[in-house]
Amino acid sequence: MASIQVAMRCRPFVGPGDLGVELRQTGDGPAGGEVNILNSNYTKTRYGFAYAWWSAHNHSKYAEKDKHIASDMKFITQDLAYEACGLKIKKDLLSGSAVVMFAYGLSGSGKTFTVFGPDAADSPDAWFKHAEPNDMWGILPRLAYSIFNEKTDEWKITVKYFQNVVDTVRDLTSPSASEQQYKAGMRKDQDGFMDINWCGKVVVNTWDELRTMFQQCNARKAISPTQFNHQSTRGHCVMTLEVEKPDADAPAMKQRGRLYVCDLAGTEPAGDIFYAEYKKVPQDDGSVEYQLIGPHSNQAKTKELQDQGKKINLSLSEMAQFFMKMAAAFKKGELKAGGSIPGCNSYFLCKYLKDTMMQAKTYLFCAIRPETKFHQYTYATLGFANNASVIKLDPKKATAAASELERKLMKELDEMRELVATLRAQLAEGGGGGGDAKETAAAVEQVATLQRQVTVKIQEIQQEADPSAAAATDAYEKQKAHLQARGITLSSEVEDLGSLNTPYLINLDEDPFRSGRMLCILEKTPTSFGREKNDVRPQSMSMVADHCFFDGSGVTRSIKGGKGAAYVNGAVVKSGKTQELKDGDRVIIGAELYVFRAPGSTAEIDEDAAFEEYRLALLSNSEYKGQFKQAASGLRVGGKSMTIDKKSAEQLEQEMMALYPKAAEVENLCTMLDREYIDTSVVLQSTKVTSASKEDAKVVVKVVNRNSNPVETIYLPAFEFNRAYKILSDELYHLRDAIGAEEQYVVPFQHDPLMLLFDSTFHVGTAVMFPEYLVYNLETDDSERLCEVFPAAASGAQNMDAGKLDVVWVPLPGPEGAGGQVADIVDETDLLGKPWTYRCTIKQALQLPMICDLCYCEYEFFDGYGYNTHATETVDFSSRPTRSPVLDYEYEHHVECVTEEFLAWLKKPLEIKIFISLDVKRPAQLAGTDNQKVVDLIRADMKLPAQRVKADVGAADALAEAMERIQSLTDKVDWLMNENEKVKKVNKQLVMQRRVALSVAMEASKKSFPDTGMEAAKAEKAGKPPPKPSAREAAPAKKKGGSSAKR
């Protein structure tokens, strides 16, 4: 019986510190590797996994304690790691099995290094920059290199590669930056494995093609520098590599092996993260070391990272909950191999991965750090892995029958190869039958022609095997044509930008996924930028007609100001004025940032400096100055206006001014997409409701749906709002392009403004309790268990009742079910120096202001040493949306030694934040070319005459809508089936209990009434009066030892 194979690996030291772990491979099997926690106070210090790898090569330089232990451990190289499990993975993949590899651990702990090796796009050591095997290669490059060396023409290898960033999936292989809401297109394929069907599947024929693809894709990943890693991935990256090849035992069948490589985001708590600054320090061996300087001066960057981190933590926590529940179920014998549990389906990671890994051969690669100062993270990772190692799997293989056309094409391919081989043999024997040089040349040309036909035939076979590839190609070609009609060229269409002999602008975006995608080639003199009748029409509502003009001819290139806002290197270009352009100049047109490039350009661009220049240029000319004071004065916390110091106020004002124009534009976009009832405004929000400091103030976008009952209000952090803004902008231009070309297009429901803006978890309110009575080991009184929920504090009107939260605290004699009595505490000083244990229960939220389909709570607990954030499990109510979600959360809090600080904390209000996701209803009509209102608005904006819409939406769009509805119904059926199974289980238990009770009663009746006992039991069961006792039963019982005969 297969189980999840866990490999625990320790990375090198990052600086001086005490040794905190010991890893040894003591044997084979599920517990052949041993991990021990050193120099800690943890009760559990030993763990057994399939593999335990020590890779801290610099221990002699940095380990300050237990150096002899570090020296005695076997050092595991990348090559040894591959030999241990990589060869098994390759064998399973080529035999048609599904294999899952996922990497888990703290950012910078080395999880990506184990799976890939160095993989930063700008690193000279990146694995894809080496054509031949390299010592630094991880498991995937070694495995892929070997497979491509064995590949024949009959094999087809395809790759999908995408990144989940919060609630979005980004296709990293897409040349046009395709991204969608994560639920879109998530379906199980014909083999029962989860897939995202809209993500491109790229056919990869050679090892070099794979390397090139990864070079491009990794440059598009969302990454940020944190104190844990100078290139921390800010989302889960998933790659699937599928190998399809003829089945040797059944020629009419194809084996389909599939490898899922899941490189998860870092597991560090969101509150611990800050956006960091590093400096590059060259080393003696030629390498570069990144040394941490400290937090970045722009606090907004840290806040954004922390907001993203909270979403990442929720996704990872759900996976941890899944493993914990699965481990408990397997230990109790409640699940068979491959079985799963209901729930744990609220976030991308579990939704995509949990069912697939249960029917695959799954490997979990965990990474930890060697220093004792990282013990809290190490302990959490070991606990996660320990639960995973218990889970039993039911791996299966995938096969598919070759179609009749595939078999025909394969036969033709074999005939072509035989002919090529024959001709080559004749040439080798003497030029094709001993003819002259002309005949030999003709034969050589014939071989070359046949070889080209072989290549075409292989492509035909591949297209027949995967019809979706042709559809994806058609969609890309259509999008490319639409962009070209607007004067924009996809950079992926230009093989070498340095070879262009015409000046151009290339877009620059803080989001690397969107940066460097669009080229505006300045071929005309002048080239006009703006709206419908201009030469170049970027995808931005900030453009106006005749916005500005470029002259790219001659030695001197220039920009001339028009009717819109334009800047060069941060300076305004006034209307009618001309500004010379040089290679590398930063140009802002409306709200879009570009870099000007001249032929043969060599100027390097400091992107961080360019983004700061862009931000300051727009702020200095903002029409929204002065609105911050109004917003700040309206923010009240604990009944008082919140005080914000000057420096913090300046930072917050800059953040708000950056969002004001986008909020106004989103309202305009919503109107154009038939959602004019959506309002947006930029406000200040406090993360606390009783008391708050300057660190608790943050900028959010308030979004209101006036068309719902009750009216729905959601607060979005800047990064989520910006994501929605960009996708809505894309969708509007897809519609504009379709209308201009008289084609059909419907905005997917997942990209409807309602879904993008309202289908997100957000802080709806905060329950406040006063825990001072916990000092005296008292249980929560029934009259105090319903805590009032206050609306999330934000500037502006707050006139809604936010409901109640049912919270109960019960004192315990000790941790983990310890016996004894709870101590009586008369005076708070009696508790000092003693242990303190309570069970916290959060039963249910009641009458929240809006109907939700997801809910969880979060609170901070002070354990005497520091603050720890605790969160309830996210509960999914999508099948039964409610205003009173049941959470059923329990947690035992234990403080080993009560201190004055802990007592002081208990005397302060305890805030429990409630987060929900709204139940978003599908609108009666989607925004599309079949929506007359949308068409009228867009045609008017494009200065086109009115036109009646066509009734036919198109088969593809209709099918997509049907599939979405089917998936929604399937989800509801799954939930009902799970609920039905629970009811059946309870009913079965009740039936058994009733049978046992009836059997006991019948036995008792037989003893008391041997003649009529059975009839009495039957009568009782039927609800009838019992029969009269027989004469023998009515007679008085004889005493033991007595006799009726006289002596």
Side-chain angles (χ1 to χ4, degrees):
M1 185 184 295
S3 60
I4 294 180
Q5 300 292 293
V6 177
M8 190 66 59
R9 190 177 194 182
C10 183
R11 64 150 291 153
F13 283 80
V14 293
D18 290 345
L19 180 64
V21 290
E22 178 186 15
L23 294 89
R24 298 184 186 278
Q25 195 71 32
T26 57
D28 297 322
E34 182 178 321
V35 180
N36 291 297
I37 300 180
L38 306 177
N39 302 313
S40 80
N41 295 321
Y42 292 113
T43 53
K44 181 177 175 62
T45 58
R46 185 194 175 280
Y47 295 82
F49 302 113
Y51 308 99
W53 299 333
W54 168 254
S55 298
H57 61 81
N58 57 354
H59 62 83
S60 60
K61 179 179 179 181
Y62 291 119
E64 295 183 337
K65 193 175 182 180
D66 297 318
K67 288 191 175 185
H68 64 287
I69 296 177
S71 300
D72 191 46
M73 287 186 275
K74 182 180 178 180
F75 180 75
I76 301 298
T77 62
Q78 293 285 70
D79 190 49
L80 291 175
Y82 179 71
E83 288 179 4
C85 56
L87 293 173
K88 298 176 187 176
I89 292 171
K90 177 191 168 186
K91 181 180 178 182
D92 290 333
L93 176 64
L94 294 184
S95 67
S97 294
V99 184
V100 172
M101 297 166 52
F102 66 107
Y104 180 92
L106 196 68
S107 290
S109 59
K111 57 185 184 297
T112 304
F113 182 78
T114 297
V115 175
F116 289 106
D119 78 332
D122 60 352
S123 171
D125 296 322
W127 66 266
F128 40 77
K129 294 184 179 178
H130 298 275
E132 298 299 325
N134 183 276
D135 290 342
M136 301 287 275
W137 276 8
I139 292 172
L140 186 278
R142 293 168 187 268
L143 179 151
Y145 179 82
S146 177
I147 287 176
F148 276 103
N149 280 337
E150 296 178 23
K151 179 182 179 294
T152 66
D153 289 339
E154 288 83 5
W155 292 22
K156 179 184 177 183
I157 299 178
T158 56
V159 172
K160 283 191 176 188
Y161 193 17
F162 55 86
Q163 184 179 24
N164 162 231
V165 181
V166 189
D167 294 329
T168 302
V169 168
R170 296 174 154 190
D171 183 359
L172 297 175
T173 69
S174 166
S176 55
S178 297
E179 62 178 322
Q180 294 195 28
Q181 206 264 358
Y182 81 93
K183 296 176 186 176
M186 192 182 286
R187 306 280 186 273
K188 288 186 178 178
D189 63 15
Q190 67 270 29
D191 299 313
F193 298 106
M194 194 62 79
D195 185 31
I196 296 181
N197 56 21
W198 63 266
C199 280
K201 184 186 286 188
V202 181
V203 176
V204 184
N205 294 305
T206 67
W207 164 245
D208 284 338
E209 286 183 15
L210 183 74
R211 292 194 306 117
T212 301
M213 189 199 79
F214 263 91
Q215 168 78 53
Q216 295 169 346
C217 292
N218 281 17
R220 299 166 181 164
K221 291 197 300 186
I223 57 174
S224 296
T226 72
Q227 72 270 39
F228 298 105
N229 188 359
H230 73 281
Q231 287 195 319
S232 176
T233 304
R234 306 316 300 162
H236 310 306
C237 293
V238 179
M239 186 216 71
T240 63
L241 185 145
E242 189 171 279
V243 180
E244 192 175 274
K245 62 189 186 72
D247 190 330
D249 300 325
M253 301 296 291
K254 299 178 293 183
Q255 283 186 336
R256 188 186 295 121
R258 188 177 294 143
L259 174 64
Y260 295 81
V261 182
C262 309
D263 187 12
L264 307 187
T267 60
E268 59 275 2
D272 293 356
I273 304 170
F274 62 75
Y275 193 98
E277 284 191 282
Y278 283 84
K279 66 176 180 179
K280 296 181 180 179
V281 180
Q283 302 297 296
D284 294 339
D285 60 0
S287 63
V288 174
E289 185 176 286
Y290 288 84
Q291 290 187 358
L292 176 66
I293 298 173
H296 195 280
S297 58
N298 187 348
Q299 295 179 2
K301 291 179 177 291
T302 291
K303 288 180 181 178
E304 182 173 321
L305 274 189
Q306 291 178 346
D307 284 336
Q308 287 182 350
K310 288 177 182 177
K311 300 280 185 172
I312 291 171
N313 288 165
L314 288 170
S315 179
L316 292 169
S317 294
E318 185 175 60
M319 179 62 78
Q321 286 280 345
F322 173 71
F323 280 153
M324 185 172 67
K325 291 181 178 181
M326 289 286 290
F330 276 113
K331 288 175 182 177
K332 293 177 182 177
E334 296 175 350
L335 282 178
K336 296 180 180 179
S340 188
I341 57 171
C344 295
N345 208 33
S346 303
Y347 302 104
F348 167 83
L349 189 57
C350 262
K351 194 175 184 69
Y352 177 79
L353 196 58
K354 71 171 190 175
D355 290 335
T356 293
M357 69 181 176
M358 295 307 297
Q359 52 190 347
K361 296 188 176 181
T362 300
Y363 293 78
L364 170 59
F365 296 95
C366 290
I368 56 178
R369 291 175 177 260
E371 301 94 337
T372 55
K373 67 180 180 181
F374 292 107
H375 264 161
Q376 60 172 322
Y377 305 115
T378 299
Y379 193 70
T381 300
L382 290 169
F384 178 90
N386 194 51
N387 285 327
S389 66
V390 177
I391 296 172
K392 306 301 179 186
L393 309 171
D394 185 21
K396 67 178 187 180
K397 296 184 178 182
T399 57
S403 69
E404 184 177 345
L405 180 55
E406 280 184 275
R407 291 195 294 272
K408 178 184 175 183
L409 291 170
M410 287 297 296
K411 183 179 179 181
E412 292 175 0
L413 179 62
D414 289 339
E415 290 172 354
M416 284 183 177
R417 283 182 178 140
E418 287 179 9
L419 183 55
V420 169
T422 301
L423 288 171
R424 282 178 172 166
Q426 291 175 358
L427 285 169
E429 290 173 1
D436 59 18
K438 187 177 290 187
E439 290 179 344
T440 301
V444 170
E445 178 59 31
Q446 186 178 5
V447 170
T449 301
L450 281 171
Q451 192 63 53
R452 288 192 292 271
Q453 291 175 354
V454 167
T455 302
V456 171
K457 191 64 65 178
I458 291 172
Q459 291 173 348
E460 289 177 3
I461 294 170
Q462 291 174 345
Q463 288 179 356
E464 169 62 19
D466 185 14
S468 64
T473 300
D474 290 343
Y476 172 71
E477 291 298 325
K478 183 182 290 187
Q479 184 181 9
K480 184 174 72 174
H482 286 160
L483 288 169
Q484 287 175 343
R486 287 196 270 114
I488 298 169
T489 302
L490 287 169
S491 60
S492 57
E493 291 296 304
V494 181
E495 188 171 340
D496 180 14
L497 292 176
S499 65
L500 287 176
N501 55 12
T502 306
Y504 62 90
L505 297 175
I506 186 167
N507 77 303
L508 198 59
D509 198 300
E510 286 191 86
D511 184 349
F513 183 68
R514 290 175 172 266
S515 192
R517 299 280 196 157
M518 308 293 178
L519 298 180
C520 305
I521 301 176
L522 308 176
E523 294 178 306
K524 289 180 64 178
T525 302
T527 300
S528 62
F529 276 61
R531 299 296 293 272
E532 274 59 49
K533 294 183 179 180
N534 293 116
D535 302 316
V536 180
R537 304 182 295 282
Q539 293 185 181
S540 174
M541 296 296 288
S542 64
M543 298 289 164
V544 299
D546 297 333
H547 199 106
C548 60
F549 305 87
F550 287 85
D551 184 351
S553 63
V555 178
T556 303
R557 285 94 178 194
S558 62
I559 176 175
K560 182 179 180 181
K563 296 178 181 179
Y567 306 80
V568 174
N569 300 332
V572 175
V573 180
K574 296 181 179 180
S575 178
K577 300 295 181 180
T578 300
Q579 171 70 49
E580 183 181 351
L581 291 175
K582 296 180 179 178
D583 182 42
D585 281 349
R586 286 81 57 204
V587 181
I588 302 172
I589 308 173
E592 306 303 307
L593 174 61
Y594 298 90
V595 174
F596 175 76
R597 288 299 195 186
S601 63
T602 57
E604 292 188 7
I605 303 299
D606 184 336
E607 293 191 359
D608 288 338
F611 297 138
E612 182 65 13
E613 179 184 85
Y614 166 84
R615 187 177 64 84
L616 293 175
L618 295 186
L619 288 177
S620 63
N621 294 275
S622 174
E623 62 185 277
Y624 299 97
K625 287 183 177 181
Q627 295 196 17
F628 173 76
K629 288 184 179 179
Q630 182 181 349
S633 64
L635 180 60
R636 299 181 66 82
V637 177
K640 300 178 182 178
S641 294
M642 188 171 178
T643 303
I644 304 174
D645 64 80
K646 184 178 179 181
K647 184 178 179 181
S648 299
E650 289 175 353
Q651 179 66 55
L652 292 169
E653 183 176 21
Q654 290 180 1
E655 293 176 44
M656 293 186 78
M657 290 206 302
L659 285 171
Y660 279 131
K662 293 179 181 178
E665 192 170 329
V666 164
E667 276 199 14
N668 188 27
L669 289 167
C670 289
T671 299
M672 300 289 283
L673 297 175
D674 193 18
R675 305 291 178 259
E676 70 282 350
Y677 45 78
I678 294 177
D679 299 330
T680 61
S681 57
V682 183
V683 299
L684 283 176
Q685 186 179 48
S686 170
T687 57
K688 296 181 180 178
V689 298
T690 54
S691 63
S693 63
K694 62 181 182 181
E695 289 81 12
D696 298 315
K698 65 177 183 178
V699 177
V700 294
V701 179
K702 179 181 178 181
V703 188
V704 179
N705 177 7
R706 293 181 280 102
N707 198 42
S708 63
N709 186 18
V711 171
E712 294 173 336
T713 302
I714 184 172
Y715 296 95
L716 293 178
F719 81 93
E720 283 197 69
F721 180 77
N722 285 330
R723 172 187 63 87
Y725 161 73
K726 290 178 179 179
I727 293 177
L728 285 175
S729 297
D730 289 347
E731 289 298 346
L732 179 64
Y733 274 87
H734 292 333
L735 274 172
R736 290 170 67 94
D737 289 338
I739 289 171
E742 296 190 353
E743 298 170 349
Q744 299 294 320
Y745 183 77
V746 175
V747 175
F749 176 48
Q750 286 82 5
H751 288 184
D752 191 277
L754 287 170
M755 280 293 285
L756 282 175
L757 295 170
F758 290 92
D759 188 33
S760 177
T761 53
F762 69 101
H763 179 200
V764 68
T766 300
V768 179
M769 66 163 292
F770 299 89
E772 188 169 1
Y773 64 90
L774 303 184
V775 173
Y776 304 97
N777 279 348
L778 297 176
E779 184 175 342
T780 304
D781 189 81
D782 286 343
S783 63
E784 296 179 348
R785 60 187 292 168
L786 293 182
C787 303
E788 185 174 356
V789 178
F790 296 88
S795 53
Q798 298 290 312
N799 297 319
M800 63 179 183
D801 177 14
K804 307 285 184 183
L805 186 67
D806 188 351
V807 183
V808 175
W809 290 78
V810 178
L812 301 174
E816 300 178 1
Q821 297 293 320
V822 175
D824 290 328
I825 304 297
V826 178
D827 187 272
E828 64 182 48
T829 57
D830 296 342
L831 196 59
L832 287 172
K834 294 179 181 178
W836 178 97
T837 308
Y838 261 86
R839 180 174 62 246
C840 172
T841 301
I842 302 177
K843 175 67 177 175
Q844 182 179 17
L846 299 163
Q847 290 303 304
L848 295 176
M850 289 168 280
I851 298 171
C852 66
D853 60 12
L854 284 180
C855 182
Y856 72 94
C857 291
E858 182 182 282
Y859 62 96
E860 285 190 337
F861 183 83
F862 181 72
D863 61 5
Y865 300 99
Y867 287 93
N868 295 300
T869 300
H870 294 265
T872 69
E873 182 181 346
T874 301
V875 185
D876 189 336
F877 302 94
S878 56
S879 299
R880 56 198 194 287
T882 179
R883 289 178 63 182
S884 300
V886 176
L887 299 170
D888 284 335
Y889 166 82
E890 283 191 355
Y891 189 86
E892 288 188 9
H893 290 283
H894 177 71
V895 175
E896 192 64 38
C897 181
V898 171
T899 62
E900 291 280 4
E901 291 81 7
F902 180 71
L903 289 177
W905 178 77
L906 285 178
K907 294 177 184 179
K908 298 176 183 178
L910 174 62
E911 297 189 359
I912 304 175
K913 298 176 185 176
I914 302 173
F915 294 83
I916 65 171
S917 173
L918 297 174
D919 175 40
V920 181
K921 299 296 185 185
R922 186 186 184 93
Q925 187 175 19
L926 295 175
T929 52
D930 63 334
N931 185 318
Q932 186 68 60
K933 186 175 181 179
V934 169
V935 171
D936 288 346
L937 288 167
I938 292 178
R939 290 187 71 86
D941 186 62
M942 295 174 67
K943 305 296 191 292
L944 296 175
Q947 179 176 302
R948 299 297 299 172
V949 302
K950 297 179 181 179
D952 181 23
V953 179
D957 295 322
L959 177 62
E961 286 191 44
M963 291 300 292
E964 287 175 12
R965 292 180 182 272
I966 289 170
Q967 185 62 37
S968 176
L969 291 171
T970 301
D971 291 342
K972 290 185 178 180
V973 169
D974 289 343
W975 178 82
L976 289 170
M977 290 179 67
N978 287 328
E979 290 296 303
N980 190 41
E981 288 299 319
K982 292 179 185 177
V983 172
K984 284 182 179 179
K985 190 174 180 180
V986 172
N987 187 53
K988 186 176 180 181
Q989 291 174 343
L990 291 173
V991 169
M992 291 300 298
Q993 291 172 1
R994 192 165 182 270
R995 287 177 178 174
V996 171
L998 186 61
S999 176
V1000 171
M1002 289 173 66
E1003 288 298 320
S1005 297
K1006 286 178 184 179
K1007 290 179 181 177
S1008 301
F1009 304 96
D1011 298 328
T1012 60
M1014 184 64 74
E1015 288 75 9
K1018 290 179 179 178
E1020 181 183 359
K1021 183 177 181 181
K1024 297 179 180 180
K1028 294 181 179 180
S1030 65
R1032 181 161 68 103
E1033 292 169 342
K1038 295 178 182 178
K1039 293 182 179 180
K1040 187 176 181 180
S1043 175
S1044 60
K1046 292 184 179 178
R1047 293 179 182 229

